[in-house]
Amino acid sequence: MNIKLFNAARIRYEAQAEEARAMLDMLFTKTVMVGEHTDILKEVDKWTKLLSEALDSVDALDDYATQRKEEGLTTP
């Protein structure tokens, strides 16, 4: 298994999740953000879905690594 590729994918999804958290934080706490977006709930929905997808992707990679380990195969 290519450990560097696996790690790069995991870090990418973690970064996407962190970006989504930051955007949600700004949407929920910075009143300036509300003025810049006329449909604030649409933005919240967008970033919540992106956060969910990123976290699901990290979980999927972790599950994949766990399964390989249980099968006695090389794991990341």
Side-chain angles (χ1 to χ4, degrees), residues 20-40:
R21 287 184 192 108
M23 290 302 296
L24 287 168
D25 185 53
M26 286 193 298
L27 288 166
F28 288 130
T29 62
K30 307 291 184 205
T31 56
V32 151
M33 292 292 291
V34 174
E36 293 176 4
H37 298 282
T38 56
D39 193 350
I40 195 76

Side-chain angles (χ1 to χ4, degrees), residues 1-12:
M1 172 179 265
N2 187 332
I3 187 71
K4 289 184 179 185
L5 183 59
F6 179 90
N7 288 341
R10 195 168 194 292
I11 289 167
R12 179 182 186 172

Side-chain angles (χ1 to χ4, degrees), residues 2-4 9 11 16-19 24 26 33 40-42 45 47 52 56-58 61 64-65 67 69-70 74 76:
N2 187 332
I3 187 71
K4 289 184 179 185
I11 289 167
Q16 289 173 351
E18 193 60 26
E19 178 186 14
L24 287 168
M26 286 193 298
M33 292 292 291
I40 195 76
L41 287 178
K42 187 174 183 178
D45 186 53
W47 289 104
S52 176
D56 285 347
S57 295
V58 170
L61 285 176
Y64 173 75
Q67 181 181 6
K69 185 177 182 180
E70 289 172 355
T74 304

